[in-house]
Amino acid sequence: MASVTFEAVTRSFAQAERPAVDRLDLEVSDGEFLVVVGPSGCGKSTSLRMLAGLEPIDSGRVLIDGQDVTGRRARDRDVAMVFQSYALYPNMTAGENMAFALKNLGVGADEIRTRVAEAARVLQLEELLDRKPAKMSGGQRQRVAMGRAIVRDPKVFCMDEPLSNLDAKLRVSTRAEIASLQKRLGTTTVYVTHDQTEAMTMGDRVVVLRDGQLQQVGTPIDLYERPVNTFVAGFIGSPAINLVTGVPVRDGRAVLMESLQVPLPATGAARALDRVTVGIRPEGADTVGAAGSTGDDRLTVRVARVERLGSEVFAYVDPVGLVDGAVGTAEHMVFRLDKRQDLQDGAVLQLRVQLPEVLVFDADGHALR
Ligand code: ATP
């Protein structure tokens, strides 16, 4: 077990406009499952590779268990990497693939047998030990790749999108398996994905990166309920949050419609803001029926399209009667509504918005708390 520390870690590639990873500060605790998430090109893999020793560090330091490993080769860091491609040796059986790194480390044959057998048991790979990768399914190869990391009993697991080659159903079951395996082994794990659902369901804490810069680190619920900016708010949650920009402020309230007035959080109320962005989650409202009822939590919308998924219903809607200046959202707003609700395209509805859950951001996209 070990902690991991990134101290102002930076990596720039030639000809790039900005660093791929820009002064990354991060502390991963002993035994923690930390997920790094963000859109393509935000620097996730580069960060992980710098921890594993597969990518040079231009400036800053990486520490494992308090020891500076910045200048150490990958093999001397006691870190095991699981790649998206699995990187299995095609000419070796599953068992040989798992044993290979141990042989190279000079581990004795008996010890290797014991460790491979134990990993095979944990990962339910016993029947496959003599099989070569070409004769395995994607999910089985993925487990062998995990097994290869486990047998080394490293201080840290580094996992780079290990589920992206699996089909949707297998991905869901495997993510639960990996998370529970990590808890049993207690090995500090840094896990990279572009999939926010994976991040939310697997991570003890989640780090959101954008353009090489850390945006926020926190528990999944922290990121969902208290995003620091509109980027994190938009990235975490599916479907994405509805962000209405340019909403005028009157008497300490963000006024979207005369019937929908959101009190500004304390830091916003203390500032002389005239425009804000308001974020309403798709699950942050429910229907109250036809237009006409009153309140300061009512959003009037016209239904553009309805998606019925069986277990839930998504209504894509356009607000009706936003006040002057409120720009609305880039596309339709989307709400997850009661599946029993009779929703017709073109109908005008009133939604009751859960005001305490509404997020408010300043003109630069920073959250007001
Ligand atoms: P993805 O999810 O697409 O894998 P990522 O978040 O893991 O993306 P990185 O692979 O870390 O992102 O890349 C970060 C930035 O650095 C990108 O702009 C990428 O083009 C650039 N980059 C990565 N590796 C190299 C390289 N070897 N040479 C030049 N530029 C690179």
Side-chain angles (χ1 to χ4, degrees), residues 185-200:
L185 298 172
T187 310
T188 310
T189 300
V190 182
Y191 183 107
V192 159
T193 180
H194 65 275
D195 179 342
Q196 64 91 30
T197 310
E198 233 169 86
M200 296 294 278

Side-chain angles (χ1 to χ4, degrees), residues 69 76 103 173 192 210 245 257-258 271 275 280 282 295 330:
V69 299
D76 299 328
K103 270 191 201 145
S173 58
V192 159
R210 177 196 201 184
T245 53
M257 295 177 178
E258 295 310 328
R271 285 160 59 184
R275 307 255 151 216
I280 307 173

Side-chain angles (χ1 to χ4, degrees), residues 128-205:
L128 298 173
L129 282 177
D130 295 326
R131 210 179 284 182
K132 290 189 178 164
K135 301 220 162 132
M136 292 180 209
S137 70
Q140 290 166 338
R141 278 182 219 151
Q142 201 281 338
R143 296 219 297 281
V144 177
M146 286 292 296
R148 209 169 44 172
I150 289 175
V151 292
R152 289 182 46 195
D153 191 20
K155 283 188 174 159
V156 181
F157 287 136
C158 290
M159 304 193 187
D160 194 352
E161 307 244 7
L163 304 184
S164 37
N165 289 332
L166 303 182
D167 67 43
K169 196 168 168 206
L170 197 54
R171 220 160 41 216
V172 171
S173 58
T174 313
R175 82 184 178 216
E177 277 169 25
I178 292 181
S180 79
L181 182 64
Q182 191 274 343
K183 284 282 158 285
R184 259 184 293 149
L185 298 172
T187 310
T188 310
T189 300
V190 182
Y191 183 107
V192 159
T193 180
H194 65 275
D195 179 342
Q196 64 91 30
T197 310
E198 233 169 86
M200 296 294 278
T201 52
M202 296 177 84
D204 294 323
R205 284 187 310 153

Side-chain angles (χ1 to χ4, degrees), residues 13-14 18 20 38-47 55 161 192 194:
F13 292 106
R18 49 169 180 79
S40 184
C42 70
K44 306 180 293 289
S45 296
T46 305
S47 304
E55 186 73 50
E161 307 244 7
V192 159
H194 65 275

Side-chain angles (χ1 to χ4, degrees), residues 80-138:
M81 184 102 180
V82 180
F83 297 95
Q84 174 178 353
S85 62
Y86 312 142
L88 300 178
Y89 300 108
N91 56 334
M92 292 184 195
T93 64
E96 289 163 349
N97 262 288
M98 290 199 259
F100 186 71
L102 294 180
K103 270 191 201 145
N104 279 352
L105 291 169
V107 178
D110 285 348
E111 174 73 15
I112 291 180
R113 251 194 307 280
T114 311
R115 288 210 216 167
V116 169
E118 170 63 9
R121 190 185 59 74
V122 169
L123 292 163
Q124 294 167 11
L125 282 170
E126 283 129 319
E127 312 289 301
L128 298 173
L129 282 177
D130 295 326
R131 210 179 284 182
K132 290 189 178 164
K135 301 220 162 132
M136 292 180 209
S137 70

Side-chain angles (χ1 to χ4, degrees), residues 15-35:
Q15 272 134 32
E17 277 173 24
R18 49 169 180 79
V21 177
D22 195 358
R23 289 163 295 164
L24 176 64
D25 285 314
L26 192 59
E27 190 76 50
V28 191
S29 337
D30 221 23
E32 186 175 24
F33 197 122
L34 184 94
V35 179

